[in-house]
Coordinates of all heavy atoms in Angstrom, one line a residue:
M1 N 182.5 223.8 -61.3 CA 181.5 223.2 -62.3 C 180.4 222.3 -61.6 O 180.7 221.5 -60.8 CB 182.4 222.3 -63.3 CG 181.6 222.0 -64.5 SD 182.8 221.5 -65.8 CE 183.0 219.8 -65.3
A2 N 179.4 222.7 -62.1 CA 178.1 221.9 -61.5 C 177.4 221.1 -62.7 O 177.7 221.3 -63.9 CB 177.2 223.0 -61.0
Q3 N 176.7 220.0 -62.2 CA 175.9 219.3 -63.2 C 174.9 220.1 -63.8 O 174.2 220.9 -63.0 CB 175.5 218.0 -62.5 CG 176.3 216.8 -62.8 CD 175.7 215.5 -62.3 OE1 175.4 215.3 -61.2 NE2 175.3 214.6 -63.2
V4 N 174.6 220.0 -65.1 CA 173.6 220.8 -65.6 C 172.3 220.1 -65.5 O 172.1 218.9 -65.8 CB 174.0 221.1 -67.1 CG1 172.9 221.9 -67.8 CG2 175.3 221.7 -67.3
D5 N 171.2 220.9 -65.1 CA 169.9 220.4 -65.0 C 169.3 220.2 -66.3 O 169.2 220.9 -67.2 CB 169.0 221.3 -64.1 CG 169.7 221.5 -62.8 OD1 169.9 220.4 -62.1 OD2 169.9 222.7 -62.4
D6 N 168.6 219.0 -66.5 CA 167.9 218.5 -67.8 C 166.6 219.1 -67.7 O 165.7 218.4 -67.4 CB 168.0 217.1 -68.0 CG 167.4 216.6 -69.2 OD1 167.0 217.5 -70.0 OD2 167.3 215.4 -69.4
T7 N 166.4 220.4 -67.9 CA 165.2 221.0 -67.9 C 164.7 221.6 -69.2 O 165.7 221.9 -70.1 CB 165.0 222.1 -66.8 OG1 166.1 223.2 -67.3 CG2 165.4 221.7 -65.5
K8 N 163.5 222.0 -69.4 CA 162.9 222.6 -70.6 C 163.6 224.0 -70.8 O 163.9 224.4 -71.8 CB 161.5 222.7 -70.6 CG 160.8 222.8 -71.9 CD 159.3 222.6 -71.8 CE 158.7 223.7 -71.1 NZ 157.1 223.7 -71.0
E9 N 163.8 224.6 -69.6 CA 164.3 225.9 -69.6 C 165.7 225.9 -70.2 O 166.1 226.8 -70.9 CB 164.2 226.6 -68.1 CG 162.9 227.0 -67.6 CD 162.0 225.8 -67.3 OE1 162.6 224.6 -67.0 OE2 160.8 225.9 -67.4
N10 N 166.4 225.0 -69.7 CA 167.8 224.9 -70.1 C 168.0 224.5 -71.6 O 168.8 225.0 -72.4 CB 168.7 223.9 -69.2 CG 169.1 224.5 -68.1 OD1 169.0 225.8 -67.9 ND2 169.6 223.7 -67.1
L11 N 167.0 223.7 -72.0 CA 167.0 223.2 -73.5 C 166.7 224.5 -74.4 O 167.3 224.6 -75.3 CB 166.0 222.2 -73.8 CG 165.8 221.6 -75.1 CD1 167.2 221.0 -75.6 CD2 164.9 220.6 -75.4
Q12 N 165.9 225.3 -73.8 CA 165.5 226.6 -74.7 C 166.7 227.5 -74.7 O 166.9 228.2 -75.7 CB 164.4 227.3 -74.0 CG 163.1 226.5 -74.5 CD 161.9 227.0 -73.6 OE1 162.0 227.7 -72.6 NE2 160.6 226.6 -73.9
K13 N 167.7 227.4 -73.7 CA 168.8 228.3 -73.6 C 169.8 227.8 -74.5 O 170.9 228.5 -74.8 CB 169.3 228.5 -72.2 CG 168.4 229.4 -71.3 CD 169.0 229.5 -70.0 CE 168.0 230.1 -69.1 NZ 168.6 230.0 -67.7
C14 N 169.9 226.4 -74.8 CA 171.0 225.8 -75.5 C 171.1 226.4 -76.9 O 170.0 226.5 -77.7 CB 170.8 224.3 -75.6 SG 171.9 223.3 -76.6
I15 N 172.3 226.7 -77.3 CA 172.6 227.2 -78.7 C 173.1 226.2 -79.7 O 173.7 226.6 -80.8 CB 173.4 228.5 -78.6 CG1 174.8 228.1 -78.0 CG2 172.7 229.5 -77.9 CD1 175.8 229.2 -78.1
C16 N 173.1 224.9 -79.3 CA 173.7 223.8 -80.2 C 173.1 223.9 -81.5 O 173.8 223.7 -82.5 CB 173.3 222.4 -79.7 SG 174.5 222.1 -78.2
G17 N 171.8 224.3 -81.7 CA 171.1 224.4 -83.0 C 171.8 225.4 -83.9 O 171.5 225.3 -85.2
Q18 N 172.6 226.4 -83.5 CA 173.3 227.4 -84.3 C 174.8 226.9 -84.5 O 175.5 227.6 -85.1 CB 173.3 228.6 -83.6 CG 172.0 229.1 -83.2 CD 172.0 230.4 -82.3 OE1 172.9 231.2 -82.2 NE2 171.1 230.4 -81.3
C19 N 175.1 225.7 -84.1 CA 176.5 225.2 -84.1 C 176.8 224.6 -85.5 O 176.0 224.0 -85.9 CB 176.7 224.3 -83.0 SG 178.3 223.5 -83.0
P20 N 178.0 224.8 -86.0 CA 178.3 224.3 -87.3 C 178.5 222.8 -87.2 O 178.4 222.2 -88.3 CB 179.8 224.9 -87.6 CG 180.2 225.6 -86.3 CD 179.0 225.7 -85.5
S21 N 178.7 222.2 -86.1 CA 178.8 220.7 -85.9 C 177.4 220.0 -85.9 O 177.2 218.8 -86.0 CB 179.6 220.3 -84.7 OG 180.9 220.9 -84.8
F22 N 176.4 220.8 -85.6 CA 175.1 220.4 -85.4 C 174.4 220.0 -86.7 O 174.1 220.9 -87.5 CB 174.2 221.3 -84.6 CG 172.9 220.9 -84.0 CD1 172.9 220.2 -82.9 CD2 171.7 221.0 -84.8 CE1 171.6 219.8 -82.2 CE2 170.6 220.6 -84.2 CZ 170.5 219.9 -82.9
N23 N 174.2 218.7 -87.1 CA 173.7 218.3 -88.3 C 172.3 217.9 -88.4 O 171.6 218.0 -87.4 CB 174.7 217.2 -89.0 CG 174.6 215.9 -88.0 OD1 173.6 215.8 -87.3 ND2 175.6 215.1 -88.2
Q24 N 171.9 217.5 -89.5 CA 170.4 217.1 -89.8 C 170.0 216.0 -89.0 O 168.9 216.1 -88.4 CB 170.2 216.7 -91.3 CG 168.9 216.6 -91.7 CD 168.0 217.9 -91.5 OE1 168.6 219.0 -92.1 NE2 166.8 217.9 -90.9
C25 N 171.0 215.0 -88.6 CA 170.4 213.9 -87.8 C 170.1 214.4 -86.4 O 169.2 214.0 -85.8 CB 171.6 212.8 -87.8 SG 171.5 211.5 -86.4
M26 N 171.1 215.2 -85.9 CA 170.9 215.8 -84.6 C 169.5 216.6 -84.5 O 168.9 216.5 -83.5 CB 172.0 216.7 -84.2 CG 173.3 215.9 -84.0 SD 174.7 217.0 -84.3 CE 175.8 216.5 -83.1
K27 N 169.3 217.3 -85.5 CA 168.1 218.1 -85.6 C 166.8 217.1 -85.7 O 165.8 217.3 -85.0 CB 168.1 218.9 -86.9 CG 167.1 220.0 -87.0 CD 167.2 220.9 -88.2 CE 166.2 221.9 -88.4 NZ 166.3 222.8 -89.5
D28 N 166.9 216.2 -86.5 CA 165.8 215.1 -86.7 C 165.6 214.5 -85.4 O 164.4 214.2 -85.0 CB 166.1 214.2 -87.8 CG 166.1 214.8 -89.2 OD1 165.6 215.9 -89.3 OD2 166.7 214.1 -90.1
Q29 N 166.6 214.2 -84.6 CA 166.3 213.5 -83.3 C 165.9 214.5 -82.2 O 165.6 214.1 -81.1 CB 167.6 212.8 -82.7 CG 168.2 211.9 -83.8 CD 167.5 210.7 -83.9 OE1 166.9 210.1 -83.0 NE2 167.5 210.0 -85.1
G30 N 165.8 215.8 -82.6 CA 165.5 216.7 -81.4 C 166.5 216.9 -80.4 O 166.2 217.1 -79.2
E31 N 167.7 216.7 -80.8 CA 168.7 216.7 -79.7 C 169.2 218.2 -79.4 O 168.8 219.1 -80.0 CB 170.0 215.9 -80.4 CG 169.8 214.4 -80.3 CD 171.1 213.7 -80.8 OE1 172.1 214.4 -81.0 OE2 171.0 212.4 -80.7
G32 N 170.0 218.1 -78.2 CA 170.5 219.5 -77.8 C 170.8 219.2 -76.3 O 170.6 218.1 -75.8
L33 N 171.3 220.2 -75.6 CA 171.5 220.2 -74.2 C 172.4 219.0 -73.8 O 172.1 218.3 -72.9 CB 170.2 220.2 -73.5 CG 170.3 220.6 -71.8 CD1 170.9 221.9 -71.6 CD2 168.9 220.5 -71.1
Y34 N 173.4 218.7 -74.7 CA 174.2 217.6 -74.5 C 175.0 217.6 -73.1 O 175.3 216.6 -72.5 CB 175.3 217.5 -75.6 CG 174.6 217.3 -77.0 CD1 174.8 218.3 -77.9 CD2 174.1 216.1 -77.4 CE1 174.1 218.3 -79.2 CE2 173.5 216.0 -78.6 CZ 173.6 217.0 -79.5 OH 172.9 216.9 -80.7
C35 N 175.3 218.8 -72.6 CA 175.9 218.9 -71.4 C 175.3 218.3 -70.2 O 175.8 218.0 -69.2 CB 176.3 220.4 -71.2 SG 174.9 221.5 -71.1
A36 N 174.0 218.3 -70.4 CA 172.9 217.6 -69.4 C 172.6 216.3 -69.8 O 172.5 215.3 -68.9 CB 171.8 218.5 -69.1
K37 N 172.2 216.1 -71.1 CA 171.7 214.8 -71.5 C 172.6 213.8 -71.9 O 172.3 212.6 -72.0 CB 170.7 215.0 -72.8 CG 169.6 215.9 -72.5 CD 168.6 216.1 -73.6 CE 167.4 217.0 -73.4 NZ 166.4 216.3 -72.8
G38 N 173.8 214.2 -72.2 CA 174.9 213.2 -72.7 C 175.1 213.2 -74.1 O 174.5 214.1 -74.8
K39 N 176.0 212.4 -74.7 CA 176.4 212.5 -76.0 C 175.4 212.2 -77.0 O 174.3 211.6 -76.7 CB 177.7 211.6 -76.2 CG 177.4 210.1 -76.1 CD 178.7 209.3 -76.3 CE 179.7 209.4 -75.1 NZ 180.9 208.4 -75.3
S40 N 175.6 212.7 -78.2 CA 174.7 212.5 -79.4 C 174.6 211.0 -79.8 O 175.6 210.3 -79.7 CB 175.1 213.4 -80.5 OG 174.4 213.2 -81.7
S41 N 173.4 210.7 -80.5 CA 173.3 209.4 -81.0 C 173.7 209.2 -82.4 O 173.6 208.4 -83.1 CB 171.9 208.9 -80.7 OG 171.0 209.7 -81.4
C42 N 173.9 210.4 -82.9 CA 174.3 210.7 -84.3 C 175.7 210.7 -84.7 O 176.5 210.9 -83.7 CB 173.7 212.0 -84.8 SG 172.0 212.3 -84.7
E43 N 176.2 210.4 -85.8 CA 177.5 210.6 -86.3 C 177.6 211.9 -86.9 O 176.7 212.4 -87.5 CB 177.7 209.6 -87.4 CG 177.9 208.1 -87.0 CD 178.6 207.2 -87.9 OE1 179.4 207.7 -88.6 OE2 178.4 205.9 -87.7
F44 N 178.8 212.6 -86.5 CA 178.9 214.0 -86.9 C 180.4 214.4 -87.0 O 181.2 213.8 -86.5 CB 178.2 214.9 -86.0 CG 178.7 214.9 -84.6 CD1 179.7 215.8 -84.2 CD2 178.3 213.9 -83.7 CE1 180.2 215.8 -82.9 CE2 178.9 213.9 -82.4 CZ 179.7 214.9 -82.0
D45 N 180.6 215.4 -87.8 CA 182.1 215.9 -87.9 C 182.1 217.0 -87.0 O 181.3 217.8 -86.8 CB 182.4 216.4 -89.4 CG 182.3 215.2 -90.3 OD1 182.7 214.2 -90.0 OD2 181.7 215.4 -91.4
K46 N 183.4 217.0 -86.4 CA 183.6 218.3 -85.4 C 184.0 219.5 -86.2 O 185.1 219.5 -86.8 CB 184.7 217.9 -84.4 CG 184.3 216.9 -83.4 CD 185.4 216.7 -82.4 CE 185.0 215.7 -81.2 NZ 186.1 215.3 -80.3
E47 N 183.1 220.3 -86.4 CA 183.2 221.6 -87.3 C 183.3 222.8 -86.4 O 183.1 223.9 -87.0 CB 182.4 221.6 -88.4 CG 182.6 220.5 -89.4 CD 181.5 220.3 -90.5 OE1 180.5 221.2 -90.5 OE2 181.7 219.5 -91.3
G48 N 183.5 222.7 -85.2 CA 183.5 223.8 -84.2 C 182.6 223.5 -83.1 O 181.6 222.7 -83.2
C49 N 182.7 224.2 -82.0 CA 181.8 224.1 -80.8 C 181.6 225.5 -80.3 O 182.6 226.2 -80.0 CB 182.3 223.2 -79.8 SG 181.2 223.0 -78.4
I50 N 180.3 225.9 -80.1 CA 180.0 227.2 -79.6 C 179.4 227.2 -78.1 O 178.9 228.2 -77.7 CB 179.0 227.9 -80.5 CG1 177.6 227.1 -80.7 CG2 179.7 228.2 -81.9 CD1 176.6 227.8 -81.4
C51 N 179.8 226.1 -77.4 CA 179.4 226.0 -76.1 C 180.0 227.2 -75.2 O 179.2 227.6 -74.4 CB 179.8 224.7 -75.4 SG 178.8 223.3 -76.0
G52 N 181.0 227.6 -75.6 CA 181.8 228.7 -74.8 C 180.9 230.0 -74.9 O 181.1 230.8 -73.9
T53 N 180.0 230.1 -75.8 CA 179.2 231.4 -75.9 C 177.8 231.1 -75.4 O 177.0 232.0 -75.6 CB 179.2 232.0 -77.4 OG1 178.7 231.1 -78.3 CG2 180.6 232.4 -77.9
C54 N 177.6 229.9 -74.9 CA 176.2 229.6 -74.5 C 175.9 230.2 -73.1 O 176.9 230.2 -72.3 CB 176.1 228.1 -74.4 SG 174.6 227.4 -73.6
P55 N 174.7 230.6 -72.8 CA 174.4 231.3 -71.5 C 174.7 230.2 -70.3 O 174.8 230.7 -69.2 CB 173.0 231.7 -71.5 CG 172.4 231.1 -72.8 CD 173.6 230.8 -73.8
L56 N 174.5 229.0 -70.6 CA 174.7 228.0 -69.5 C 176.1 227.8 -69.1 O 176.3 227.3 -68.0 CB 174.1 226.6 -69.9 CG 172.6 226.6 -70.2 CD1 172.2 225.0 -70.4 CD2 171.9 227.1 -69.2
T57 N 177.1 228.2 -69.9 CA 178.4 228.0 -69.5 C 178.8 228.9 -68.3 O 179.3 228.3 -67.5 CB 179.4 228.4 -70.9 OG1 179.3 227.2 -71.7 CG2 180.9 228.4 -70.4
P58 N 178.5 230.2 -68.3 CA 178.7 230.9 -67.1 C 177.7 230.4 -65.9 O 178.2 230.4 -64.8 CB 178.6 232.4 -67.5 CG 177.7 232.4 -68.8 CD 178.1 231.1 -69.5
E59 N 176.6 230.1 -66.3 CA 175.5 229.8 -65.3 C 176.0 228.7 -64.5 O 175.7 228.5 -63.3 CB 174.2 229.6 -66.0 CG 173.0 229.6 -65.1 CD 171.7 229.4 -65.9 OE1 171.7 230.0 -66.9 OE2 170.8 228.8 -65.3
Y60 N 176.5 227.6 -65.2 CA 177.0 226.4 -64.5 C 178.6 226.3 -64.4 O 179.1 225.2 -64.0 CB 176.4 225.1 -65.2 CG 174.9 224.9 -65.0 CD1 174.0 225.5 -65.8 CD2 174.5 224.2 -63.9 CE1 172.6 225.2 -65.7 CE2 173.1 224.0 -63.8 CZ 172.2 224.5 -64.6 OH 170.9 224.4 -64.4
D61 N 179.2 227.3 -64.7 CA 180.6 227.3 -64.6 C 181.2 226.3 -65.4 O 182.2 225.5 -64.8 CB 181.1 227.4 -63.1 CG 182.5 227.7 -63.0 OD1 183.0 228.5 -63.8 OD2 183.1 227.4 -61.9
L62 N 180.7 226.0 -66.5 CA 181.3 224.9 -67.4 C 182.6 225.2 -68.0 O 182.9 226.5 -68.3 CB 180.3 224.7 -68.6 CG 178.9 224.3 -68.1 CD1 178.0 224.0 -69.4 CD2 178.9 223.0 -67.3
D63 N 183.5 224.3 -68.2 CA 184.8 224.6 -68.9 C 185.1 223.7 -70.0 O 186.2 223.7 -70.5 CB 185.9 224.6 -67.8 CG 186.1 223.2 -67.1 OD1 185.3 222.2 -67.6 OD2 186.7 223.1 -66.1
G64 N 184.0 223.0 -70.4 CA 184.4 222.1 -71.6 C 183.7 222.4 -72.8 O 182.9 223.5 -73.0
V65 N 184.0 221.6 -73.9 CA 183.3 221.8 -75.2 C 182.9 220.4 -75.8 O 183.4 219.3 -75.2 CB 184.2 222.5 -76.2 CG1 184.4 224.0 -76.0 CG2 185.6 221.9 -76.3
Y66 N 182.3 220.3 -76.8 CA 181.9 219.0 -77.5 C 181.2 218.1 -76.5 O 181.6 216.8 -76.5 CB 183.1 218.4 -78.1 CG 183.5 219.3 -79.4 CD1 184.8 219.8 -79.4 CD2 182.8 219.1 -80.6 CE1 185.2 220.5 -80.6 CE2 183.1 219.7 -81.7 CZ 184.3 220.5 -81.8 OH 184.7 221.1 -82.9
Y67 N 180.3 218.5 -75.8 CA 179.5 217.6 -75.0 C 178.8 216.6 -75.8 O 178.4 215.5 -75.4 CB 178.5 218.4 -74.1 CG 179.3 219.3 -73.1 CD1 179.2 220.6 -73.2 CD2 180.0 218.7 -72.0 CE1 180.0 221.5 -72.4 CE2 180.8 219.6 -71.2 CZ 180.7 220.9 -71.4 OH 181.3 221.7 -70.5
C68 N 178.4 217.0 -77.1 CA 177.7 216.0 -77.9 C 178.6 214.8 -78.3 O 178.1 213.7 -78.5 CB 177.4 216.7 -79.2 SG 178.7 217.5 -80.1
S69 N 179.9 215.0 -78.1 CA 180.9 213.9 -78.4 C 181.4 213.3 -76.9 O 181.5 212.0 -76.9 CB 182.1 214.5 -79.0 OG 183.1 213.6 -79.2
I70 N 181.6 214.1 -76.0 CA 182.3 213.5 -74.7 C 181.2 213.1 -73.7 O 181.5 212.5 -72.8 CB 183.3 214.6 -74.1 CG1 182.6 215.8 -73.6 CG2 184.4 214.8 -75.0 CD1 183.4 216.7 -72.8
G71 N 180.0 213.6 -73.9 CA 178.9 213.3 -72.9 C 178.8 214.4 -72.0 O 179.5 215.5 -72.1
K72 N 178.0 214.2 -71.0 CA 177.5 215.4 -70.1 C 178.6 215.8 -69.2 O 179.6 215.2 -68.9 CB 176.3 214.9 -69.3 CG 176.5 213.8 -68.4 CD 175.1 213.5 -67.7 CE 175.0 212.1 -67.0 NZ 173.8 211.9 -66.4
A73 N 178.5 217.1 -68.9 CA 179.4 217.7 -67.9 C 179.2 217.2 -66.5 O 178.0 217.2 -66.0 CB 179.2 219.2 -67.8
E74 N 180.2 216.8 -65.9 CA 179.9 216.2 -64.4 C 180.7 217.2 -63.5 O 181.8 217.6 -63.7 CB 180.7 214.9 -64.2 CG 180.6 213.9 -65.5 CD 179.4 213.0 -65.3 OE1 178.6 213.1 -64.3 OE2 179.3 212.1 -66.1
Ligands
LIG101 S1 176.8 224.3 -73.1 FE1 176.7 223.5 -75.2 S2 175.6 221.6 -75.0 FE2 175.3 222.7 -73.2 S3 173.4 223.8 -73.5 FE3 175.0 225.3 -74.1 S4 175.4 224.9 -76.3 FE4 174.2 223.1 -75.6
LIG102 S1 177.9 220.4 -77.8 FE1 179.2 222.0 -78.8 S2 179.8 221.0 -80.8 FE2 178.2 219.8 -79.9 S3 176.3 220.7 -80.9 FE3 176.6 221.8 -79.0 S4 177.7 223.5 -79.5 FE4 178.0 222.1 -81.2

């Protein structure tokens, strides 16, 4: 597992915006790419996590979920 680079390219690949847990607060804050940027500043309910199907998961050999809650992948 590698640290995820906080780049514009990676933010564009992030699929958090399609996730059932991604709420209006997260959208309003322009959040995403939590695996690189760290946890969300919003309160939210865990209604599923789709990181497993994100292109960055195989690219960086990630094995976690809910980075919006646990913080960035190390
Ligand atoms: S692994 Fe999860 S947090 Fe990281 S870019 Fe993909 S969807 Fe977003
Ligand atoms: S890190 Fe996972 S749970 Fe959080 S918004 Fe992204 S896909 Fe959804």
Side-chain angles (χ1 to χ4, degrees):
M1 190 160 86
Q3 260 189 299
V4 180
D5 300 304
D6 184 3
T7 62
K8 203 170 71 177
E9 288 71 25
N10 280 347
L11 182 59
Q12 281 166 353
K13 290 181 191 170
C14 176
I15 58 169
C16 286
Q18 301 165 40
C19 172
S21 301
F22 195 84
N23 64 20
Q24 191 64 45
C25 172
M26 293 156 139
K27 193 175 176 181
D28 290 344
Q29 303 289 330
E31 290 188 352
L33 196 58
Y34 299 109
C35 55
K37 293 177 181 288
K39 60 179 79 168
S40 175
S41 63
C42 297
E43 293 200 18
F44 62 95
D45 297 319
K46 287 184 177 174
E47 292 178 358
C49 177
I50 58 172
C51 286
T53 60
C54 175
L56 295 190
T57 288
E59 195 173 324
Y60 286 92
D61 198 20
L62 302 178
D63 57 11
V65 287
Y66 285 111
Y67 297 109
C68 52
S69 174
I70 65 170
K72 61 183 166 185
E74 322 261 11

